[in-house]
Amino acid sequence: VRSVKDSVFVYSRLNGDTLLPCTKLASADCSNITWTFFRGGQVRYSKEVIRGQVNLNSDKSNRISVMSNCSLVLHDLIVEDAGSYVCLENQEPVSDIYLSLLGISSVSPVTELRPGGNLILTCILFTYYDAGSCKSYSNMISIYWLDQDGKQLPKDKRRYMLTENTRCNVTLATTLQTEDNNRKWRCQVDTKENKNVAFLDFKSSFLFQNDHKDQIVQPSVTKEGPVELPISRIVLCVVLPLMVCIVGFFTWKSDQKKAKTSAAVIEMQDFH
């Protein structure tokens, strides 16, 4: 939050929550309080709070709550929430709040989240006037891309390419490396008076990882010492020779019987 005279500039992040303070009230009775909203560019005006109660006809009604000090809390912030909010007491302006929201968008498909893939991120500050224009802010605001150590990314075309579309719209393009898996890319907003009034992180978590190391099949390691055979193999080694001997014996007996029978037949033929 930054205050200039009776104006308060609030910076927050998309999908987050924010507090819009209502200061210099003559009394603590919120029944005399009205909150209005105006969005430049689209020329949109609405009443969000009437006599201390959330206006149920507002499209923000399910995301707004009024605190005991009459300040306003916005939940689950979306782009359309950026704009100018005015707190009025007995229909007289008390506080002017200018809410700006920070967002990161990516045009890179998830299949590019891998070593060698191209990551393109655009950081935009949605101001109370218009998204990414910063017309009313002039030189008050700067947007930077930072590395995970909090250092400003250099404009090194060999690794990073930074394009400042406007003062509140900066695009980062880079070719991902192996060490960029689960890395945080931070977009930070600085004002002329304060550093780091808002920031937003994007994590480049790889969907697929290519392992370039050759897979080598390692031979099984055998320990020195006696080899222990399983019981099934021991039984097979004992039973198999025994079965061969038994089959051979009965085969021999059968051959002997056949030989005697053949000899008797021959003798009978000779007798006749």
Side-chain angles (χ1 to χ4, degrees):
V1 178
R2 184 176 64 86
S3 178
V4 178
K5 295 182 180 179
D6 294 331
S7 299
V8 178
F9 295 84
V10 177
Y11 303 87
S12 191
R13 299 174 290 185
L14 292 176
N15 304 316
D17 301 333
T18 193
L19 171 66
L20 307 180
C22 186
T23 58
K24 300 180 181 180
L25 294 176
S27 69
D29 186 5
C30 293
S31 62
N32 298 322
I33 297 300
T34 299
W35 276 95
T36 62
F37 170 72
F38 177 79
R39 180 172 176 81
Q42 299 177 354
V43 192
R44 180 181 176 184
Y45 175 84
S46 62
K47 288 185 177 182
E48 306 300 333
V49 174
I50 301 175
R51 294 180 180 178
Q53 301 296 321
V54 175
N55 183 9
L56 298 180
N57 294 324
S58 168
D59 56 4
K60 302 183 183 68
S61 60
N62 61 336
R63 297 185 294 112
I64 285 182
S65 58
V66 181
M67 301 185 65
S68 59
N69 62 357
C70 308
S71 295
L72 200 65
V73 178
L74 284 174
H75 306 278
D76 301 324
L77 293 166
I78 59 177
V79 173
E80 288 74 16
D81 293 334
S84 172
Y85 295 80
V86 179
C87 177
L88 300 98
E89 185 177 21
N90 295 318
Q91 303 305 314
E92 293 293 330
V94 177
S95 298
D96 293 334
I97 313 296
Y98 298 95
L99 176 62
S100 299
L101 300 175
L102 188 65
I104 294 178
S105 63
S106 174
V107 297
S108 302
V110 293
T111 53
E112 286 294 307
L113 295 180
R114 57 178 175 78
N118 295 319
L119 178 65
I120 301 176
L121 300 174
T122 299
C123 182
I124 301 178
L125 183 66
F126 298 89
T127 66
Y128 68 89
Y129 181 80
D130 198 3
S133 66
C134 293
K135 291 180 180 180
S136 301
Y137 286 100
S138 63
N139 296 328
M140 292 184 350
I141 288 182
S142 297
I143 291 183
Y144 303 103
W145 278 103
L146 308 177
D147 61 16
Q148 53 190 357
D149 297 325
K151 298 180 180 179
Q152 185 176 342
L153 291 179
K155 294 182 179 180
D156 185 357
K157 293 185 179 181
R158 293 173 299 177
R159 182 73 171 95
Y160 311 107
M161 181 176 292
L162 299 173
T163 304
E164 188 176 286
N165 307 304
T166 66
R167 199 169 188 84
C168 290
N169 186 329
V170 182
T171 298
L172 164 67
T174 185
T175 300
L176 294 172
Q177 299 179 1
T178 304
E179 59 269 21
D180 293 331
N181 187 26
N182 293 323
R183 175 179 177 176
K184 290 183 179 179
W185 307 86
R186 173 166 293 185
C187 177
Q188 179 172 301
V189 179
D190 291 348
T191 65
K192 192 174 181 179
E193 291 80 10
N194 301 311
K195 293 287 185 179
N196 187 19
V197 294
F199 67 86
L200 190 60
D201 292 333
F202 178 91
K203 181 181 287 188
S204 54
S205 299
F206 293 171
L207 181 62
F208 303 103
Q209 297 190 55
N210 297 326
D211 189 1
H212 299 290
K213 296 181 180 179
D214 295 332
Q215 295 183 354
I216 302 176
V217 179
Q218 299 290 342
S220 60
V221 180
T222 56
K223 298 181 180 180
E224 295 183 357
V227 178
E228 297 182 359
L229 294 177
I231 296 178
S232 59
R233 291 188 180 183
I234 296 175
V235 173
L236 183 62
C237 292
V238 174
V239 173
L240 186 59
L242 183 61
M243 291 179 63
V244 171
C245 293
I246 294 174
V247 172
F249 174 76
F250 281 103
T251 302
W252 177 78
K253 291 288 290 183
S254 177
D255 291 342
Q256 290 291 326
K257 186 176 181 180
K258 288 181 180 180
K260 289 181 180 180
T261 303
S262 298
V265 172
I266 293 173
E267 290 180 358
M268 290 180 66
Q269 289 178 351
D270 292 341
F271 176 77
H272 290 294

